Amino acid sequence: MIYLDNGATSFHKPPQVRRAVLRAMDRCANPGRGGYGAAMEAAKTVLRCRERAGVLFDCEPEQVVLTSNCTHGLNIAIRTLVKPGSRVVISGFEHNAVTRPLYGLGARVTVAGRKLFDWEDTLSEFEKALKAGAEAAVFTHVSNVFGYILPVEEMAALCRQRGIPFIVDAAQSAGALPVSLKKLGADFIAMPGHKGLLGPQGTGLLLCGKLPEPLLLGGTGSESVRQDMPDFTPDRAEAGTLNVPGIAGLEAGMAWLQRMGIERIGKRERQVAEKCAGELKNMGMQVYWGPHQGGTVSFRPGCDCEEGARMLAEQGIAVRAGLHCAPLAHESAGTLDTGTVRISFGHDADFSRIPVLLRAVSKLPVPEL
Ligand code: PLP
C-alpha cells in the first residue's frame, strides 16, 4: 500500500516509536501516583515528553498539557476562552473540531477570509472581523483539506494588538512547520500527537499560554486534599491516568523529528506535493493548488470523489475523499457539494511514489470543463 493519508494520521511511523511504546508497557506504572521504581519510571517518561515538546514548540515543560488528540485540546482551549454568546472570529478553513465546540457552546461565530491561498484576503477579512468586536479568535495553521498555510504570525499579531485571546489549531502543521508558543503569543495551541509528530493514536498536546479550565475533573496525584482542580498547569487539565505508553511513543516520534529536522521534512512534503499537483493538472484533473501550500493536495476527478478514492484503494493507494470533517473549508472553496479527493504527504514523502500514484489516478475519468 502507498499511504497518502497523513492528514488523518501518520502511518509507518519510525520503529523507535513502537519500541518506546513497548518499553513503557514493560516498565511503567502510574506516573505521579507512587515513589517506587515503576511509578518513577513513568513520571520520568512523561516529563521527557513535556521537555521534548517544550524544546520543539518553544515553551516551558509545565505549559504542555498531554491530551488524547487535537480535538481534546481544542475543547479545553475553547471552553476556557468562550462562553455562551461570546463573539468568536474563525477562519474560513476550520475543522469540525473547532466549529462544533463553538456551536455547542452557543458562541456567535464570524467566519472571516474564505479565499483559498490568498493571504491578503485572509488578513484583511480577519482584521475587519476583529475590529467589529470579538471576545476570542480561533484559527487553523494549515487547512486539512487544501493544505493552505494561513498567515498565522500576522493573524496572531492582529489579535495581540487588540488584546483578543486566541487559539491556534496546529493539527496539520506540528511536525511540518515551525510552531512557537512564545513567538505567536497564543493563549493556546492544540495539536495531535498522532499526525506529524509521529506518536501513537490517542495522543495530543495542548500548549498553554494561560491557565486552562479543566474539561474533566478528577485525580491528578497532586493537591489531593482539595476538591477543586489544582490551579496550575499541567495538572489542572490532566485528570485521570495518562496514556503513558502513548506518551512514550510520542516522545520517541518527536525525538526522531528533532534529529531529522522539522523544516527539512516539511520542505520535502511540500516539494513532493507540488510535483504531484502539477502532474495531476497535466492529466486534466481539477487541482486546488496555490501559493502558501503545504504537503496536502486536493483534486476532483470526473467521477464521484468517494468512488474515485475507492478505485485508488483497489490499486493500493490510500487517500481520503469527501468533506474531511471540514464542511466550512469546502464551503469556502465551493466544493461542499462534491467534496474532493485529498492526497496528504507525511514524514516519508518520496518523489518515487508519484509515478505509481499517477498510474492509478489515470484510470479515473477527468472532469469536463
Ligand atoms: N483540526 C484539524 C485542522 C484537523 O485536520 C484535525 C484532524 O484531522 C483535527 C483538528 C482533529 O484532530 P484529532 O483527530 O487528533 O482530534
Side-chain angles (χ1 to χ4, degrees):
M1 174 185 61
I2 296 189
Y3 184 77
L4 299 172
D5 194 20
N6 291 274
T9 200
S10 48
F11 203 44
H12 305 309
K13 317 216 190 218
Q16 291 88 334
V17 173
R18 181 170 176 275
R19 284 203 293 270
V21 172
L22 294 177
R23 202 179 317 116
M25 290 187 75
D26 285 342
R27 297 190 190 165
C28 293
N30 208 330
R33 309 296 203 267
Y36 53 90
M40 295 301 286
E41 184 64 30
K44 275 192 235 158
T45 300
V46 169
L47 179 61
R48 267 201 303 275
C49 184
R50 290 192 215 283
E51 286 174 344
R52 182 81 65 189
V55 172
L56 282 184
F57 304 116
D58 200 11
C59 63
E60 300 303 320
E62 308 77 61
Q63 291 178 290
V64 178
V65 165
L66 297 160
T67 61
S68 52
N69 48 45
C70 186
T71 303
H72 182 192
L74 285 167
N75 271 266
I76 296 172
I78 288 172
R79 279 201 172 255
T80 303
L81 297 186
V82 178
K83 305 290 166 245
S86 293
R87 289 167 304 169
V88 183
V89 178
I90 64 173
S91 86
F93 298 95
E94 300 306 313
H95 189 276
N96 278 347
V98 167
T99 53
R100 284 183 173 170
L102 290 173
Y103 181 83
L105 276 167
R108 287 183 285 158
V109 175
T110 303
V111 179
R114 286 183 163 250
K115 288 193 188 156
L116 252 183
F117 310 121
D118 186 338
W119 275 20
E120 230 175 274
D121 175 74
T122 301
L123 284 172
S124 63
E125 291 298 312
F126 188 69
E127 187 169 20
K128 221 188 290 168
L130 293 182
K131 266 190 195 153
E135 275 88 44
V138 192
F139 43 92
T140 192
H141 192 169
V142 177
S143 160
N144 65 308
V145 181
F146 299 103
Y148 172 34
I149 303 171
L150 279 76
V152 287
E153 285 182 21
E154 291 81 351
M155 293 165 86
L158 290 171
C159 291
R160 288 197 310 268
Q161 279 158 22
R162 289 177 174 72
I164 297 170
F166 66 99
I167 300 162
V168 179
D169 176 355
Q172 299 292 335
S173 57
L177 290 170
V179 175
S180 159
L181 182 67
K182 239 179 238 149
K183 206 161 158 197
L184 288 176
D187 292 75
F188 297 101
I189 301 178
M191 57 184 71
H194 63 97
K195 299 189 202 258
L197 299 185
L198 307 176
Q201 288 165 28
T203 61
L205 302 175
L206 178 66
L207 315 180
C208 300
K210 75 148 48 147
L211 194 67
E213 283 307 317
L215 198 61
L216 289 176
L217 311 178
T220 56
S222 57
E223 303 209 333
S224 294
V225 82
R226 57 192 285 186
Q227 282 308 298
D228 57 349
M229 291 296 282
D231 59 1
F232 52 87
T233 54
D235 297 34
R236 187 169 174 77
E238 287 183 354
T241 297
L242 291 170
N243 170 11
V244 177
I247 290 165
L250 172 56
E251 196 274 326
M254 291 192 292
W256 187 90
L257 278 175
Q258 211 175 358
R259 272 198 308 281
M260 297 297 154
I262 286 183
E263 303 217 16
R264 207 175 99 204
I265 287 174
K267 187 170 166 202
R268 198 180 50 204
E269 287 176 13
R270 286 191 291 284
Q271 286 170 338
V272 176
E274 185 171 9
K275 168 91 178 141
C276 172
E279 298 287 350
L280 289 171
K281 240 185 221 167
N282 292 342
M283 290 169 76
M285 298 296 166
Q286 184 167 5
V287 182
Y288 298 84
W289 183 266
H292 315 298
Q293 183 144 6
T296 289
V297 188
S298 257
F299 76 97
R300 283 203 310 116
C303 62
D304 175 71
C305 287
E306 303 270 7
E307 175 62 11
R310 200 189 50 73
M311 286 164 72
L312 294 180
E314 276 172 6
Q315 298 173 76
I317 310 282
V319 295
R320 183 169 170 196
L323 297 183
H324 314 92
C325 298
L328 181 65
H330 281 284
E331 196 183 285
S332 295
T335 50
L336 188 60
D337 292 342
T338 56
T340 55
V341 179
R342 178 185 74 178
I343 299 169
S344 50
F345 294 95
H347 66 290
D348 53 357
D350 189 346
F351 286 103
S352 71
R353 305 216 172 119
I354 292 182
V356 188
L357 167 68
L358 295 175
R359 249 194 320 276
V361 174
S362 70
K363 310 247 166 65
L364 309 184
V366 294
E368 282 171 27
L369 291 178

